Amino acid sequence: MNQSHGNLRIMRRIISFALLLMTAFYAPPDAWAQQSSKSHILILNSYDESSPWVQEYINGLTYHLVNVKGVSTNVRHINASEIVNDSTFEAAINSNLNYFADNPPSGIILMGRPAFAAREEINRRWKNIPMLYMGASEEVIPKEYEYVGVDISDAPVVSIHDIRDRYNFTFVKIPDHYRKTIDMMMKMQPDMKNFKFASNSLTTSLQLRDSVRQYLSKKYPKVSFEWINADEVSGSEKFKSILSKRDLETGVLLGNWYHREFDPSGHPIYSAGDVNLIDKSPQPVFTVKENYFKTGVIGGVLPIRNEIMKRSKEVIDRMLKGDDMRQIPLDKGEPGGACIDYPQLERKGLQDADIPAGTSFINKPESLFSKNPLAFAVALLILISLVQLVMYYLLFKGKTESFMKRREVKINNLPVNYFIGKVKYNEDGVPVEVETTPGNQKAIDLWERHAGECRCEPLFNDAEMLKAVARLSDDGKGVVYTEHFLKTDSYYKVNIHRGFDADTLEIFCFNITQLMKSEQELKYTSAVLELTLDLAKVVPWHWNLAEKKIVLKDNEALKKVNRNLVSHNGKEIVIPEELLMRLIHPEDVGKVNELTKEVIEGKRKYAQMEFRILIPDHGKQVEEWLEVNESVELYNNEGKAELLIGSFSCITERKEQMRRLIEARETAKEADRLKSAFLANMSHEIRTPLNAIVGFSNMLAETDDPEQKSKFINIIESNNEMLLQIISDILDLSKTEAGTMEFNMRPTDINGLLVNIGESVVDRVKPGVDLLCNFGAESCWLYTDPNRLSQVVINFLTNASKFTENGSISYGYEVRGDNLYFYCHDTGSGISEENQKKVFERFIKLNSFVNGTGLGLPICKAIVEFLGGQIGVSSEGEGFGSTFWFEIPYRMAEIPDDVEAPLWTEPTIDMTMQHALSMPSEHHSELEMHDSKNAHDSNYQMGTPNSEFNQLGQIPTNDNQMLPPQFGPDGMPIYPPQFGPDGMPIYPPQFGPDGMPL
């Protein structure tokens, strides 16, 4: 079969060459001399020269152009079945268009949609060049969906009407009349339940497949649909199975059915393959392609080629005159005509089918009498011939019997096992049983060895034998298949031929047991090797230096790297040498070239290298690391390599693991260093309060001065608190790591909580520093753990007080949508950008001369994250202050019933409420507004004394001590006036004897 297709391909090439010669001889003598200055037309074919249906149109157009004076033609093929990605598309287009770089064509005829996909590149090279597009559909898709194997189900569709203003083209339609063909099939096979559409996987075939499926589902919803792919081995076997029997419940529609094979030299051959079986098949097959009528299809609705050629020639003539293609109306196609091959109609047994009206019959024989008036004379001659044949039979009967005896003797002496088979057929002509009888002594011995001496058991597998008989044709060729005899575990090649009559078979058997077992062992070894390579993630390859091609074994390891490479038959991937060099990372090209050159020149017997490749993947480049081993398989006479072999494995994951291990090692080293620093710091931090406690405890026992005792007790209590805080931080850290930190969630008054926090830390603020508290709402109740929330804010304020020598510390919160944003801003020493990244890590102390364990901020981070929030710090750098913040979800809580409303409401401006917890001494006399630039924001408002301070009648001083209240003549406390934005004083509320505000 391959040989016949090869001969057909050679014949078509000869015809194409003959057309070129005819172009030379039929053109006027001065046409060639003036070619460079006259017109020449480029015909750009989407497929290859062996595509029969398109070649017939190309031949017609070429013949037409041959007779136009001063016009030459050139036919180029882009072989769309080879285009699988952007690189192969660009290579196919550029290789054809570059041919005309020095002599641009006067006009272009684009045959098929893949060729029309190159319109952008054509227009870029030759602006506004006239084009004629001949195709099946008025809709086009982006070029990346024209590649073989690409799913076009979600491809964006554009009408050629919408892009006509961008290109100088017109359109002649060569329609596929699939709707009328399907209707024709349903009339002729009214019992149809299953519909099979057979085609290859070109995008035009895929679009036709989808159109057929949609039409069936809409008009014949009870008929099931199945696509048979010519590019798959299973598709070919399924197509053969359908053709092996007659099933009128199954309708078969044939599209473009040819697939790619390779000759021994590796060149692709496009084979129609299984369509040659249609002629002898009992199954009716329909088509929408005219060229398949030669293969035995029964019929279909076809475009009228003469009308299409007529319209195409008219457009070409106008193109040669220089007309604007945009002014030529787009062709909408003509109604197709139903055609039926009459001999196939009889052969498939559909003579009585409901044939559509107006159907044209081809190859329909005329009656004897209407064809020839001498019909009776011919009949008489036939009768005479029959008589002669009878006489001949009687004359040579004896010779025939003698011949058969001699033949029997020869068969008995043949060194093969010979059987005679008798076939039984059912009413549909399908073989249902084969009775076999030994035809020589060797066949008898074979039967006795494998089926028993009595030969009562069947020797051959009936199912396999019937399949083989069904494939027999009338052309004298036999059928070969392999039979496995289980009893002796032997394999025989069975060769079946037709005998002297239609029901007789001649069967020859050859022992191939040793060959089959050797092949099985080889397959097993190959499978083990492939499994080993897959498990090791190794890809074998060989490099033909003469052909400049690298062939990779297509296995599981390669699939992890292969994103945009071309696969051949699912077994190998061929990469041009030039493409591989482009894939290598520019930084690694020199190393790869140097080592490979040394291997090629014989300076090295073996080379191992690691390098990176950049593989295009959906518009971006993905970096992969490869470990490559290479050596020389074959040297030439000069001692240089001709063939390199080797393997490679993708080590990207290993490289990434190494990088992570190095980072982990450095992190571990840093953690170990921080741990040591932490232990040293802990010993110092714990020792400091312990020394104070022990020392002042001794001094407390030795003194009798009450003032000194009180002072010593205060110092001891302060150090006790410091020691307890250190121990608490250590316990919190251990609970954080163990995941056992406790949280007691309850409704919490955030405003009151912040006021209490300010009162608790005011003594820690250094003299001359303002401590300001800002509220984000008049009332804010949050469902949270107040102790843990206080722990975070207090930690922020404690750290701020340590590093702020002057200026202010402002803290508070803001309502930001569904979150509460807490902050602590200071004008202290600030934090560098590098230290901001690690300030929340464990054991980190940015200043070793300041007290602290380095555990507070990590604990704060754990608390905030448990509450569902996030934490951070911002600073413009050292010396510019810093802002610690955290944000948690605003889980509003209802105010408990036992909470009384406050007796006074603090003034608010722009929903911002502030408490001045510390006021510089120079402000005590003037009692003016604080400088807003030292507060949280530029719109800083007047601070209001804390409610408890009001009740106590005390005002905080800048040395963090409370001044005694001032009283008037009536004995009532005097409060310093506050000033509003208008400059008017604001006085705090006064209370009457009943406790109510006046």
Side-chain angles (χ1 to χ4, degrees):
M1 185 179 295
N2 289 338
Q3 183 178 0
S4 64
H5 289 296
N7 294 336
L8 181 60
R9 183 167 176 260
I10 294 172
M11 181 63 68
R12 286 175 177 156
R13 289 183 175 177
I14 293 173
I15 292 173
S16 299
F17 181 71
L19 289 175
L20 294 177
L21 291 179
M22 291 175 65
T23 303
F25 283 105
Y26 279 88
D30 59 340
W32 291 97
Q34 299 178 6
Q35 179 175 346
S36 60
S37 60
K38 296 294 183 178
S39 300
H40 72 273
I41 302 299
L42 166 61
I43 301 177
L44 190 61
N45 176 25
S46 295
Y47 311 102
D48 69 315
E49 65 273 15
S50 63
S51 300
W53 72 271
V54 72
Q55 194 63 43
E56 291 172 353
Y57 286 98
I58 293 175
N59 292 342
L61 297 176
T62 305
Y63 284 137
H64 176 69
L65 290 168
V66 160
N67 297 310
V68 180
K69 183 178 180 179
V71 176
S72 61
T73 60
N74 197 307
V75 182
R76 307 291 294 183
H77 312 278
I78 67 173
N79 295 335
S81 58
E82 293 286 331
I83 297 176
V84 296
N85 52 37
D86 288 340
S87 60
T88 53
F89 179 85
E90 293 172 2
I93 297 303
N94 291 331
S95 64
N96 284 286
L97 299 185
N98 290 342
Y99 185 81
F100 305 94
D102 299 329
N103 188 20
S106 306
I108 299 180
I109 303 173
L110 302 171
M111 303 297 299
R113 198 175 63 193
F116 189 63
R119 60 189 177 277
E120 190 68 33
E121 178 62 18
I122 293 173
N123 201 48
R124 186 188 68 80
R125 290 175 178 245
W126 306 305
K127 189 67 175 178
N128 208 39
I129 187 172
M131 295 181 286
L132 167 60
Y133 167 40
M134 300 180 68
S137 174
E138 299 176 22
E139 297 176 340
V140 294
I141 58 179
K143 65 179 179 63
E144 56 267 23
Y145 286 91
E146 294 287 1
Y147 307 156
V148 175
V150 174
D151 183 11
I152 65 170
S153 59
D154 60 343
V157 178
V158 178
S159 172
I160 58 177
H161 297 270
D162 299 332
I163 63 174
R164 201 173 185 194
D165 58 338
R166 296 165 52 190
Y167 311 97
N168 184 17
F169 78 95
T170 190
F171 172 70
V172 173
K173 191 170 186 178
I174 309 176
D176 290 321
H177 296 290
Y178 63 91
R179 294 185 181 90
K180 295 181 180 180
T181 302
I182 293 173
D183 294 340
M184 177 182 181
M185 295 171 64
M186 297 302 298
K187 288 191 70 175
M188 296 182 65
Q189 293 181 233
D191 296 331
M192 187 189 302
K193 297 179 180 178
N194 306 305
F195 191 98
K196 313 291 184 181
F197 177 70
S199 73
N200 54 24
S201 57
L202 286 175
T203 54
T204 51
S205 298
L206 297 180
Q207 190 168 23
L208 179 58
R209 173 202 65 186
D210 295 341
S211 299
V212 169
R213 177 165 39 204
Q214 292 173 5
Y215 184 69
L216 274 173
S217 63
K218 182 178 180 180
K219 190 168 184 180
Y220 306 102
K222 294 183 179 181
V223 178
S224 65
F225 175 85
E226 180 181 10
W227 176 47
I228 303 175
N229 188 356
D231 295 325
E232 296 179 353
V233 176
S234 59
S236 178
E237 294 300 322
K238 188 175 295 183
F239 190 63
K240 292 177 183 177
S241 176
I242 293 173
L243 297 180
S244 66
K245 58 184 178 181
R246 184 174 186 266
D247 181 9
L248 295 183
E249 292 185 354
T250 299
V252 181
L253 178 62
L254 183 64
N256 283 324
W257 184 274
Y258 66 89
H259 57 276
R260 184 175 56 187
E261 300 176 350
F262 294 89
D263 60 18
S265 62
H267 296 95
I269 298 175
Y270 296 92
S271 172
D274 308 320
V275 297
N276 294 320
L277 302 175
I278 298 175
D279 186 46
K280 303 298 181 181
S281 170
Q283 175 67 30
V285 177
F286 294 80
T287 185
V288 293
K289 302 297 182 182
E290 180 181 358
N291 56 290
Y292 287 120
F293 270 73
K294 302 175 183 178
T295 63
V297 296
I298 192 170
V301 180
L302 306 176
I304 303 175
R305 192 201 311 169
N306 292 337
E307 292 294 329
I308 295 173
M309 290 301 300
K310 179 181 177 181
R311 294 194 299 272
S312 301
K313 292 173 183 178
E314 292 173 354
V315 172
I316 293 173
D317 291 341
R318 295 187 62 178
M319 177 190 292
L320 295 174
K321 290 179 183 179
D323 289 358
D324 188 352
M325 295 291 102
R326 297 184 182 91
Q327 302 304 319
I328 303 176
L330 299 177
D331 179 30
K332 296 184 179 179
E334 294 290 338
C339 296
I340 287 181
D341 188 346
Y342 192 84
Q344 292 297 334
L345 185 70
E346 292 184 330
R347 184 173 296 175
K348 313 303 182 185
L350 293 178
Q351 306 96 309
D352 300 327
D354 186 5
I355 299 173
T359 299
S360 300
F361 293 92
I362 59 175
N363 301 323
K364 183 176 182 180
E366 299 179 3
S367 64
L368 179 62
F369 299 101
S370 62
K371 184 177 180 181
N372 193 339
L374 301 177
F376 288 103
V378 173
L380 181 60
L381 290 175
I382 293 174
L383 181 60
I384 295 173
S385 299
L386 290 175
V387 172
Q388 290 178 342
L389 288 175
V390 171
M391 294 178 62
Y392 177 81
Y393 172 75
L394 295 175
L395 180 63
F396 292 97
K397 181 178 179 181
K399 292 184 177 181
T400 303
E401 292 177 353
S402 176
F403 167 76
M404 294 302 294
K405 290 181 180 180
R406 291 196 303 272
R407 181 177 181 273
E408 183 178 355
V409 173
K410 291 181 179 180
I411 289 176
N412 286 330
N413 294 327
L414 282 176
V416 296
N417 306 281
Y418 173 71
F419 291 85
I420 300 173
K422 194 68 174 178
V423 186
K424 294 183 179 179
Y425 297 90
N426 61 12
E427 57 184 9
D428 294 328
V430 178
V432 294
E433 183 180 354
V434 178
E435 295 180 356
T436 54
T437 304
N440 62 3
Q441 186 59 43
K442 289 186 176 294
I444 296 174
D445 296 339
L446 175 65
W447 200 320
E448 291 178 350
R449 287 198 309 272
H450 298 285
E453 294 183 2
C454 64
R455 301 198 299 275
C456 54
E457 301 177 14
L459 176 63
F460 298 100
N461 185 306
D462 290 340
E464 295 296 329
M465 177 70 76
L466 289 173
K467 288 181 183 178
V469 173
R471 289 170 17 221
L472 275 173
S473 59
D474 296 332
D475 56 5
K477 295 182 179 179
V479 175
V480 179
Y481 77 97
T482 301
E483 184 81 39
H484 181 212
F485 298 141
L486 294 174
K487 186 173 182 178
T488 58
D489 192 21
S490 301
Y491 293 88
Y492 279 77
K493 182 171 70 173
V494 181
N495 197 327
I496 304 175
H497 292 265
R498 291 209 180 271
F500 292 101
D501 55 66
D503 297 336
T504 304
L505 302 176
E506 291 187 308
I507 306 170
F508 302 89
C509 299
F510 304 89
N511 192 337
I512 58 170
T513 303
Q514 189 61 39
L515 176 62
M516 290 296 295
K517 291 188 176 181
S518 298
E519 289 181 356
Q520 290 175 356
E521 291 178 1
L522 182 61
K523 289 180 180 179
Y524 173 76
T525 304
S526 177
V528 171
L529 178 59
E530 289 186 6
L531 177 61
T532 304
L533 293 175
D534 286 343
L535 292 176
K537 299 180 180 179
V538 174
V539 180
W541 56 265
H542 63 270
W543 184 351
N544 191 317
L545 298 174
E547 297 181 0
K548 296 185 178 181
K549 292 182 180 179
I550 301 169
V551 180
L552 311 178
K553 179 70 174 179
D554 192 2
N555 59 10
E556 291 298 324
L558 183 59
K559 291 178 182 177
K560 297 183 178 179
V561 180
N562 176 18
R563 289 178 172 84
N564 200 20
L565 302 177
V566 183
S567 178
H568 289 271
N569 299 329
K571 296 180 181 179
E572 293 181 341
I573 288 181
V574 179
I575 302 179
E577 179 182 309
E578 180 183 359
L579 174 60
L580 176 63
M581 292 305 169
R582 291 203 307 266
L583 294 177
I584 298 176
H585 196 287
E587 296 178 2
D588 298 338
V589 171
K591 173 181 66 177
V592 174
N593 286 338
E594 182 180 355
L595 288 175
T596 303
K597 182 179 179 181
E598 291 180 359
V599 173
I600 293 174
E601 294 178 351
K603 297 179 181 179
R604 283 175 173 263
K605 293 184 179 180
Y606 171 81
Q608 184 181 38
M609 64 190 83
E610 295 180 0
F611 58 86
R612 293 160 293 175
I613 60 173
L614 301 174
I615 300 179
D617 185 14
H618 296 88
K620 62 180 181 179
Q621 289 186 325
V622 179
E623 182 178 289
E624 299 282 0
W625 274 95
L626 301 182
E627 181 182 71
V628 178
N629 300 281
E630 65 180 10
S631 62
V632 180
E633 172 71 9
L634 182 65
Y635 288 96
N636 58 17
N637 297 332
E638 298 177 358
K640 292 186 178 180
E642 289 185 352
L643 181 67
L644 299 182
I645 62 171
S647 64
F648 77 83
S649 56
C650 182
I651 59 171
T652 305
E653 295 181 1
R654 188 174 76 190
K655 284 287 186 179
E656 180 63 20
Q657 289 174 355
M658 291 175 61
R659 184 189 66 78
R660 289 198 293 264
L661 285 174
I662 292 173
E663 290 181 355
R665 183 184 63 184
E666 296 301 322
T667 303
K669 288 182 179 179
E670 179 67 12
D672 187 60
R673 185 189 66 78
L674 292 175
K675 179 181 177 181
S676 300
F678 169 73
L679 292 175
N681 188 38
M682 284 298 99
S683 63
H684 170 73
E685 293 293 339
I686 294 175
R687 189 184 301 114
T688 299
L690 280 178
N691 288 339
I693 292 171
V694 173
F696 283 99
S697 296
N698 293 333
M699 294 175 63
L700 180 64
E702 295 174 359
T703 182
D704 294 328
D705 187 352
E707 184 177 350
Q708 283 191 344
K709 283 187 176 183
S710 176
K711 182 177 180 180
F712 292 162
I713 290 173
N714 289 336
I715 294 173
I716 292 172
E717 289 179 352
S718 176
N719 283 275
N720 278 337
E721 292 178 0
M722 185 184 304
L723 182 60
L724 288 174
Q725 182 63 42
I726 293 172
I727 301 302
S728 176
D729 286 348
I730 295 174
L731 292 176
D732 281 346
L733 178 64
S734 63
K735 290 180 179 180
T736 300
E737 293 184 345
T740 58
M741 182 177 286
E742 299 174 355
F743 287 82
N744 183 13
M745 310 296 285
R746 61 181 183 271
T748 302
D749 179 10
I750 299 302
N751 291 353
L753 180 72
L754 294 183
V755 170
N756 294 335
I757 291 174
E759 294 172 355
S760 66
V761 300
V762 66
D763 291 337
R764 304 182 188 180
V765 178
K766 297 178 181 179
V769 177
D770 295 338
L771 179 62
L772 306 175
C773 177
N774 304 318
F775 295 162
E778 292 184 5
S779 176
C780 180
W781 284 82
L782 179 68
Y783 189 75
T784 187
D785 185 335
N787 295 330
R788 293 300 183 186
L789 193 63
S790 299
Q791 185 176 353
V792 178
V793 178
I794 291 172
N795 192 284
F796 284 1
L797 291 172
T798 302
N799 286 344
S801 65
K802 292 179 183 179
F803 295 97
T804 305
E805 300 291 339
N806 51 59
S808 66
I809 300 172
S810 60
Y811 73 102
Y813 70 93
E814 296 176 2
V815 179
R816 295 186 176 180
D818 296 333
N819 295 326
L820 283 184
Y821 174 83
F822 293 83
Y823 60 87
C824 175
H825 175 75
D826 64 68
T827 59
S829 58
I831 305 174
S832 66
E833 183 178 355
E834 179 181 359
N835 286 333
Q836 290 178 37
K837 298 177 181 178
K838 56 183 180 180
V839 70
F840 291 100
E841 297 178 8
R842 294 180 302 168
F843 316 135
I844 295 296
K845 286 187 64 177
L846 302 182
N847 190 339
S848 301
F849 298 99
V850 177
N851 290 336
T853 61
L855 297 178
L857 290 178
I859 294 172
C860 291
K861 184 174 184 289
I863 293 172
V864 171
E865 289 177 350
F866 177 84
L867 296 175
Q870 54 184 348
I871 193 170
V873 62
S874 61
S875 175
E876 295 183 5
E878 296 182 358
F880 293 95
S882 59
T883 300
F884 282 83
W885 60 269
F886 67 90
E887 194 172 40
I888 59 176
Y890 189 3
R891 301 186 181 93
M892 293 190 211
E894 295 183 359
I895 301 176
D897 297 335
D898 58 349
V899 175
E900 297 181 359
L903 298 179
W904 59 280
T905 302
E906 297 176 328
T908 64
I909 298 179
D910 295 334
M911 294 302 293
T912 301
M913 305 175 63
Q914 303 177 336
H915 280 271
L917 300 180
S918 177
M919 188 176 297
S921 59
E922 62 267 27
H923 289 183
H924 290 166
S925 61
E926 298 178 0
L927 297 174
E928 294 176 348
M929 187 184 336
H930 285 286
D931 184 3
S932 63
K933 294 183 180 179
N934 293 330
H936 176 62
D937 54 22
S938 60
N939 190 22
Y940 180 75
Q941 302 298 330
M942 179 66 191
T944 301
N946 177 274
S947 59
E948 293 185 8
F949 293 172
N950 287 336
Q951 295 170 9
L952 294 173
Q954 296 178 332
I955 300 177
T957 65
N958 68 329
D959 58 356
N960 305 328
Q961 301 296 324
M962 294 295 180
L963 295 176
Q966 306 296 322
F967 299 91
D970 56 357
M972 296 301 293
I974 300 175
Y975 295 94
Q978 310 294 320
F979 298 89
D982 55 358
M984 298 300 294
I986 300 174
Y987 294 93
Q990 307 294 321
F991 301 89
D994 57 355
M996 297 299 292
L998 299 177

